[in-house]
Amino acid sequence: MAVPLYQAKAEFFRMLGHPVRIRVLELLQDGPRPVRDLLVATGVEPSSLSQQLAVLRRAGIVRATREGGTVVYELAGSDVAELLRAARRILAELLAGQEDLLAELRDAEMGSGTRSRRSA
Amino acid sequence: MAVPLYQAKAEFFRMLGHPVRIRVLELLQDGPRPVRDLLVATGVEPSSLSQQLAVLRRAGIVRATREGGTVVYELAGSDVAELLRAARRILAELLAGQEDLLAELRDAEMGSGTRSRRSA
DNA sequence: TGCCGACTTGATAACTTCTTCAAGTCGATA
DNA sequence: TATCGACTTGAAGAAGTTATCAAGTCGGCA
């Protein structure tokens, strides 16, 4: 209630801000997966993966169910796909922009001396 | 180059993960704005806002241009709107889920004893 | 019952990020 | 040129995040 909307949004994005969490969400888009599979797909340590899964669970974006010896995760209904698609589009734009910059830098160096523009 | 794609995505989301940065992006969706306006709209300290603007600039998602005494910021072309819309949709779902949980908890308490389901 | 495999949880050190305050840059104006 | 206003940058401590290792839980199965 007393949580300002902007803060909720920021927290949401922060919750997405980890490579393993992103990867898990992308994997779950194809359907439920047992932890075992996620473990293999991500290649991280079990306890580390578990911590990241806990973050996603706490946020309510995934749901875990126990099936005998294994635990299965699935998206909690949200349409994550669209979000990731939108992000991918912007990211492509940003990375393309960086390539342009690099190209520019290359060309500039051929014509004149060292002339740095951005540190990275 | 050697940056894995998942890491780039995670960094992108992390860059969005701050209330002031989100707010700035939303403001810039309506067009370019001088820092002065952003300062008023967000109500944070000038130096603090400047730091957040620097983060957005470094990511390449906004662009700054100096116009006499003032500096004007604008989106660097990306369609941020769609991303924020998608995020808003999921967020709405998640928050609605939380309300359902609360309601469930309330109802459960009326009918029976304490019966915790989730810690939060 | 006792043990094993599959996960999760807790604790902690290494890192990042954020806020704040002091100092610096850049135009415009006197 | 001196100075002011509008921003940005640097630095340092506080706060939050992550990887890792040890310990714990929960279902099978011998």
Side-chain angles (χ1 to χ4, degrees):
Chain A
M1 276 292 118
V3 179
L5 188 52
Y6 291 118
Q7 181 152 341
K9 290 183 188 173
E11 271 166 28
F12 174 72
F13 283 120
R14 211 151 1 98
M15 162 299 255
L16 296 173
H18 188 292
V20 169
R21 297 198 291 260
I22 294 281
R23 204 163 350 192
V24 166
L25 289 180
E26 298 204 335
L27 288 166
L28 294 186
Q29 279 185 82
D30 298 336
R33 294 267 179 281
V35 172
R36 181 178 357 101
D37 287 9
L38 301 175
L39 223 34
V40 172
T42 61
V44 305
E45 288 231 339
S47 86
S48 196
L49 176 62
S50 212
Q51 307 250 30
Q52 304 312 327
L53 289 174
V55 172
L56 296 175
R57 247 185 297 129
R58 259 178 260 127
I61 202 170
V62 305
R63 185 178 21 236
T65 49
R66 178 148 221 146
E67 288 184 13
T70 81
V71 176
V72 176
Y73 276 83
E74 65 187 317
L75 291 183
S78 318
D79 183 14
V80 174
E82 190 186 357
L83 180 75
L84 293 178
R85 231 178 300 128
R88 186 151 34 231
R89 250 196 301 281
I90 297 185
L91 201 54
E93 236 184 81
L94 295 179
L95 293 177
Q98 286 182 17
E99 273 180 25
D100 288 356
L101 254 185
L102 285 178
E104 216 178 295
L105 232 163
R106 251 200 314 282
D107 296 350
E109 273 180 11
M110 303 193 72
S112 64
T114 309
R115 188 169 42 167
S116 69
R117 257 166 163 288
R118 285 206 196 179
S119 43
Chain B
M1 280 296 115
V3 179
L5 188 52
Y6 291 118
Q7 180 151 341
K9 289 183 188 174
E11 271 167 27
F12 174 72
F13 283 120
R14 226 169 326 116
M15 162 299 257
L16 296 173
H18 188 291
V20 169
R21 297 198 291 261
I22 293 281
R23 199 151 10 179
V24 166
L25 289 179
E26 298 204 335
L27 289 165
L28 294 186
Q29 278 184 81
D30 298 337
R33 293 267 179 279
V35 172
R36 182 178 356 104
D37 287 10
L38 302 175
L39 223 34
V40 172
T42 60
V44 305
E45 287 233 340
S47 85
S48 197
L49 176 62
S50 212
Q51 307 252 28
Q52 305 312 327
L53 289 174
V55 172
L56 296 176
R57 249 184 297 128
R58 261 179 259 128
I61 202 170
V62 305
R63 183 177 23 236
T65 49
R66 176 150 222 144
E67 289 185 12
T70 80
V71 176
V72 176
Y73 277 82
E74 65 187 317
L75 291 183
S78 317
D79 184 14
V80 175
E82 190 185 357
L83 180 75
L84 293 178
R85 231 179 299 127
R88 187 150 36 230
R89 250 195 301 281
I90 297 184
L91 201 54
E93 237 184 81
L94 294 179
L95 293 176
Q98 287 182 17
E99 272 180 25
D100 289 356
L101 254 184
L102 286 177
E104 216 178 295
L105 233 164
R106 251 199 318 279
D107 296 350
E109 274 179 10
M110 303 193 74
S112 64
T114 309
R115 188 170 40 164
S116 71
R117 260 170 161 283
R118 286 207 194 174
S119 44

